[in-house]
Amino acid sequence: MVIAFFHPYCNAGGGGERVLWCALRALQKKYPEAVYVVYTGDVNVSGDQILEGAFRRFNVRLIHPVKFVFLRKRYLVEDSLYPHFTLLGQSLGSMFLGWEALMQCVPDVYIDSMGYAFTLPLFKYVGGCRVGSYVHYPTISTDMFSVVKNQNAGFNNAGFITRNPFLSKVKLIYYYWFGFMYGLAGSCSDVVMVNSSWTLAHILSLWKAGNCTSIVYPPCDVQTFLDLPLHEKKKTPGHLLVSIGQFRPEKNHPLQIRAFAKLLNKKGAESLPSLKLVLIGGCRNKDDELRVNQLRKLSEDLGVQDHVEFKINIPFEELKKYLSEATIGLHTMWNEHFGIGIVECMAAGTIILAHKSGGPKLDIVVPYEGDVTGFLAESEEGYADMMAQILSMSAEKRLQIRKSARASVLRFSDQEFEVTFLLSVEKLFK
């Protein structure tokens, strides 16, 4: 039996990649005799380097070999190729990329682990495969409809469209049509796994495949972080604030820097000890690197460059070190589907301050046995106020929150993921 995963960016360092490697490891344990294939566009590295990177970044080591099918047309799914009608362009591009994959290897079981729903009908009806999908984030969501309908500006809704009622109407029609096509493609899936309650609600409304859809929380390396001591280790006076997340536009790193600048301005008279913000994340390509440069420039413009550091594609051990020393973990993405970085912060004993939406609000930063496990905010002002509040708490109060947060994240462990993932994909192997 050949089991294939479609993951064009399998060498990236995000939470989606951790799901891929843990899913592969779980299947290899249960079906050791199968052949495992990963379709990837990472043509500039070898298979051994990819596997070594998975171990270095995520602490995941596979038990059996994996065959990598290298795809040359990954540029077809890059958003930079489609300045307009990006969703449509990338989706059509994914079909061409899927065709390239299918021409090189026809599997028995195909799992899209990166959210390219338009490849599902291709592998099901042309390749004759049983198909499954793990959805981290719906390509389009009802929230995106409301952003356009209410003419709100955002990273995926340009200002010139929000200012023009006619263009807003046209974009809304395009979104509804695209949502319908996306639903058709997704409904081809024999098994659908989603990573949170928020994603579940959107996928159920768009794909209408409730009978084969289930929540499978992503695997977080909770155990590794539980080994870190909970007490505040202070080598130097002051507090460290960290942010974990790929340098993608939707992660909204500028909000972190602006809120941090506001906090530094606020603290003046309050004389809080010295503060440092460290942004830790993966860069997938030149666009991400450009974003990091823009963030450096923003911190200079706000005069906080001496208090802000960037750590890109760092090893897992270094990530652990930062989390063990940090007081606050920052997360600013609106409607984050889940947020593995948030869980890692909580497991490590870092007090989380996440966006009041999506997975963090519904699934993760929720009370545990009636106790507070973290904090939520929405605006620059809200984040700055909440950071000031956390920093002004007593060490004992912070310790209490840390303990509750750590206890609450055991439900997101690798072991829990393996059980729910294998249960969900069972149907593909009958």
Side-chain angles (χ1 to χ4, degrees), residues 291-308:
R291 266 185 282 279
V292 173
N293 290 333
Q294 288 169 340
L295 291 168
R296 287 188 208 277
K297 174 81 167 58
L298 175 64
S299 59
E300 285 169 19
D301 292 346
L302 295 170
V304 295
Q305 69 273 22
D306 294 340
H307 299 270
V308 178

Side-chain angles (χ1 to χ4, degrees), residues 87 91 115-118 135 137-141 144 178 182 203:
L87 294 179
S91 298
Y116 292 107
F118 286 83
V135 185
Y137 198 80
T139 303
I140 193 162
S141 67
M144 288 164 72
F178 182 83
Y182 176 61
I203 289 299

Side-chain angles (χ1 to χ4, degrees), residues 216-350:
V216 177
Y217 288 126
C220 307
D221 196 3
V222 171
Q223 199 53 50
T224 304
F225 292 103
L226 294 181
D227 299 338
L228 298 173
L230 266 185
H231 61 272
E232 292 186 11
K233 292 191 295 185
K234 288 283 170 277
K235 291 174 187 165
T236 53
H239 291 282
L240 182 65
L241 293 81
V242 297
S243 149
I244 307 173
Q246 282 184 318
F247 289 102
R248 304 204 307 258
E250 63 270 26
K251 295 295 182 183
N252 202 357
H253 289 94
L255 173 56
Q256 297 174 7
I257 294 171
R258 289 196 185 99
F260 182 64
K262 270 199 163 69
L263 172 69
L264 290 177
N265 290 335
K266 262 180 200 298
K267 88 179 185 86
E270 296 168 35
S271 67
L272 282 170
S274 66
L275 303 175
K276 174 158 272 192
L277 171 64
V278 179
L279 292 92
I280 303 169
C283 275
R284 303 162 301 170
N285 50 35
K286 293 245 179 328
D287 287 346
D288 288 357
E289 286 163 18
L290 177 65
R291 266 185 282 279
V292 173
N293 290 333
Q294 288 169 340
L295 291 168
R296 287 188 208 277
K297 174 81 167 58
L298 175 64
S299 59
E300 285 169 19
D301 292 346
L302 295 170
V304 295
Q305 69 273 22
D306 294 340
H307 299 270
V308 178
E309 266 183 49
F310 294 85
K311 297 290 175 181
I312 297 154
N313 297 333
I314 61 172
F316 187 73
E317 285 306 313
E318 198 178 338
L319 168 69
K320 266 177 74 174
K321 179 179 166 291
Y322 276 107
L323 285 182
S324 72
E325 294 170 2
T327 303
I328 296 176
L330 275 184
H331 189 276
T332 44
M333 178 175 167
W334 171 70
N335 272 342
E336 168 72 273
H337 31 106
F338 182 74
I340 288 181
I342 295 171
V343 174
E344 289 175 343
C345 283
M346 291 166 77
T350 304

Side-chain angles (χ1 to χ4, degrees), residues 148-208:
V148 179
K149 194 183 279 182
N150 300 330
Q151 293 178 245
N152 296 331
F155 77 89
N156 57 359
N157 197 32
F160 74 91
I161 291 175
T162 61
R163 290 188 293 271
N164 187 313
F166 174 72
L167 288 179
S168 289
K169 190 81 75 184
V170 170
K171 184 163 186 177
L172 193 59
I173 292 166
Y174 158 58
Y175 266 15
Y176 278 124
W177 172 80
F178 182 83
F180 173 72
M181 298 305 290
Y182 176 61
L184 278 184
S187 64
C188 296
S189 206
D190 300 307
V191 165
V192 182
M193 293 163 280
V194 297
N195 65 347
S196 69
S197 307
W198 182 86
T199 308
L200 176 71
H202 287 286
I203 289 299
L204 287 178
S205 76
L206 290 161
W207 290 17
K208 298 182 171 51

Side-chain angles (χ1 to χ4, degrees), residues 28-40:
Q28 286 186 344
K29 284 181 193 172
K30 188 164 184 184
Y31 307 103
E33 70 293 340
V35 174
Y36 293 91
V37 171
V38 175
Y39 300 112
T40 177

